[in-house]
């Protein structure tokens, strides 16, 4: 196993891969990453699937079968994506068993066009849970206002959830509350809480991308000094909020009933700005009990030259608050930033979903 990644795992960070494709599965690449780079989970999203479908011939045989059956484009998309998720879940099953269900997880997202519709999201989550039919799947639900009650309902029914597209500290606290409410309902329903896993995907690099562009427009030396600091500070304060909940009587009662924590998951950890170290959002967000889901490029960089030096979150809470205060003083409207990021994130996923539908439609016509 790679020594740098072993140090990261030993520090308590679960390493997940933010990518999936039929080619990666059939070539044995995912199995190799589990063995050699300590990958213990996989996340997917519409953009990842759209990219996978546009490359190679791995999907051709299934596409011909789907065309022969005359299925709709949307049915074909779900058949293709859930096939990959089931396969990845089976590859990761030994990790799932070894960690008693904590890791070895694979995530699939609800149709992003439903992100503003609570009942549709709940129905989609149930359908995906049934379609994949693996205990180590996570159903990804966006952390929109409308998504919050869907998170609670899914958890209450025993569906493991990856809450995605979290940018703000306030929304993160609402996500935690929705998760706790779901567990309380699951307990009241007599479900085994130990079988319900959840992670909260707090997005990182996009925060720097948005705030740094605003700092450039401000143009002062003080603004320039703050570039590349907002995302890490924001994530560190998210972990502080998580710690508060872990010390609450509400959580302690659920833990005593067998529940597992909803771990913070650092998402969007590929560095967008070439001026920043390519392992920035790995090295600066290390502490026990978190997940970092990485694009393969970031995973390789961390394996090659990542420097893991203990806890880089909990000792830096005050520094994080200072950064946020300085951003406000410089003229950054945090609430406007996170609102824009949520809207942009949903729009990007909807666009990718549309591209996925178009790609599959084209392939079905050719098959």
């Amino acid at each position: 196993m790679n020594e740098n990644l072993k140090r990261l795992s030993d520090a308590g960070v679960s390493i997940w891969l933010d990518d999936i494709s039929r080619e990666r599965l059939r070539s044995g690449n995912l199995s190799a990453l589990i063995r050699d780079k300590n990958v213990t989970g996989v996340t997917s999203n519409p953009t990842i699937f759209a990219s996978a479908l546009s490359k190679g011939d791995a999907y051709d045989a299934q596409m011909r079968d789907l065309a022969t059956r005359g299925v709709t484009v949307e049915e074909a998309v779900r058949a293709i994506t859930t096939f990959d998720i089931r396969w990845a879940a089976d590859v990761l099953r030994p990790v799932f068993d070894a960690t008693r269900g904590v890791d070895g997880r694979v995530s699939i997202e609800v149709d992003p066009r439903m992100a503003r519709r609570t009942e549709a999201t709940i129905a989609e989550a149930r359908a995906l849970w049934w379609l994949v039919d693996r205990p180590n799947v996570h159903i990804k639900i966006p952390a929109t206002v409308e998504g919050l009650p869907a998170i609670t309902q899914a958890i209450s029914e025993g569906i493991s959830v990856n809450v995605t597209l979290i940018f703000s500290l306030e929304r993160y606290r609402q996500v935690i509350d929705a998760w706790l409410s779901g567990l309380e309902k699951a307990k009241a329903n007599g479900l085994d809480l130990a079988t319900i896993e959840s992670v909260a995907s707090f997005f990182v690099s996009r925060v720097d991308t948005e705030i740094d562009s605003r700092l450039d427009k401000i143009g002062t030396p003080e603004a320039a000094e703050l570039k590349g600091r907002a995302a890490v500070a924001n994530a560190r304060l998210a972990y502080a909020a998580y710690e508060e909940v872990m010390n609450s009587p509400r959580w302690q009662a659920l833990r005593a009933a067998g529940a597992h924590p909803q771990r913070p998951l650092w998402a969007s950890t590929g560095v967008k700005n070439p001026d920043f170290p390519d392992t920035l959002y790995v090295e600066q967000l290390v502490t026990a009990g978190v997940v970092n889901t990485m694009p393969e490029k970031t995973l390789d960089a961390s394996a090659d030259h990542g420097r893991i030096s203990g806890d880089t979150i909990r000792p830096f809470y005050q520094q994080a608050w200072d950064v946020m205060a300085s951003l406000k003083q410089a003229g950054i409207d945090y609430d406007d930033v996170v609102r824009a990021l949520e809207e942009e994130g949903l729009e990007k996923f909807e666009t990718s979903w549309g591209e996925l539908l178009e790609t599959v439609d084209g392939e079905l016509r050719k098959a």
Side-chain angles (χ1 to χ4, degrees), residues 2-22:
N2 178 272
E3 283 301 314
N4 289 335
L5 296 178
K6 183 178 184 301
R7 280 193 286 272
L8 186 61
S9 296
D10 289 346
V13 179
S14 290
I15 300 167
W16 290 8
L17 178 70
D18 192 27
D19 190 61
I20 193 170
S21 70
R22 188 75 54 87

Side-chain angles (χ1 to χ4, degrees), residues 20-290:
I20 193 170
S21 70
R22 188 75 54 87
E23 181 57 38
R24 189 184 291 281
L25 291 162
R26 73 176 184 177
S27 68
N29 173 263
L30 179 58
S31 296
L33 291 175
I34 294 167
R35 181 187 66 235
D36 301 333
K37 294 186 175 176
N38 213 27
V39 167
T40 60
V42 166
T43 49
S44 70
N45 60 46
T47 302
I48 286 170
F49 275 119
S51 175
L53 263 292
S54 67
K55 300 172 185 174
D57 62 358
Y59 297 93
D60 288 359
Q62 188 182 16
M63 203 72 73
R64 285 192 296 271
D65 286 347
L66 292 166
T68 301
R69 290 171 52 211
V71 304
T72 65
V73 174
E74 297 205 0
E75 185 181 349
V77 167
R78 278 311 184 203
I80 290 163
T81 56
T82 55
F83 186 99
D84 283 2
I85 296 297
R86 276 193 299 274
W87 191 344
D90 290 343
V91 172
L92 280 156
R93 184 58 188 263
V95 178
F96 173 82
D97 292 338
T99 61
R100 298 184 179 182
V102 174
D103 280 315
R105 296 273 169 175
V106 186
S107 297
I108 183 169
E109 188 151 347
V110 300
D111 183 336
R113 296 171 299 179
M114 299 177 181
R116 299 292 187 190
R117 292 184 288 147
T118 301
E119 292 303 319
T121 296
I122 294 169
E124 178 81 348
R126 289 171 179 150
L128 287 173
W129 185 253
W130 176 81
L131 274 168
V132 175
D133 193 27
R134 296 293 187 273
N136 51 330
V137 69
H138 269 143
I139 307 303
K140 290 179 78 174
I141 298 176
T144 58
V145 170
E146 298 84 355
L148 295 172
I151 292 160
T152 295
Q153 185 60 34
I155 293 287
S156 76
E157 295 179 14
I159 297 173
S160 293
V161 174
N162 176 345
V163 185
T164 189
L165 285 177
I166 308 171
F167 297 98
S168 81
L169 297 171
E170 179 183 2
R171 183 58 54 80
Y172 178 47
R173 292 188 181 96
Q174 293 170 346
V175 165
I176 295 175
D177 181 71
W179 160 68
L180 290 170
S181 296
L183 286 177
E184 288 163 348
K185 289 184 177 182
K187 181 183 176 185
N189 293 337
L191 300 184
D192 181 0
L193 300 189
T195 65
I196 306 170
E197 286 292 332
S198 185
V199 291
S201 294
F202 202 87
F203 278 51
V204 184
S205 68
R206 295 189 196 183
V207 173
D208 270 341
T209 299
E210 179 65 24
I211 287 181
D212 288 357
S213 69
R214 298 185 183 209
L215 290 169
D216 283 337
K217 290 176 183 176
I218 292 169
T220 64
E222 292 79 11
E225 283 293 316
L226 290 167
K227 288 183 66 175
R229 300 180 66 190
V232 168
N234 197 41
R236 285 171 171 169
L237 294 178
Y239 192 83
Y242 165 77
E243 279 203 310
E244 287 178 20
V245 173
M246 291 299 101
N247 290 321
S248 70
R250 187 181 183 190
W251 164 246
Q252 294 301 325
L254 288 164
R255 189 170 106 173
H260 295 168
Q262 182 191 59
R263 291 181 296 170
L265 180 151
W266 311 130
S268 181
T269 54
V271 174
K272 306 292 192 295
N273 188 333
D275 294 334
F276 299 162
D278 54 3
T279 55
L280 174 66
Y281 304 126
V282 176
E283 296 174 357
Q284 294 301 304
L285 293 173
V286 175
T287 197
V290 299

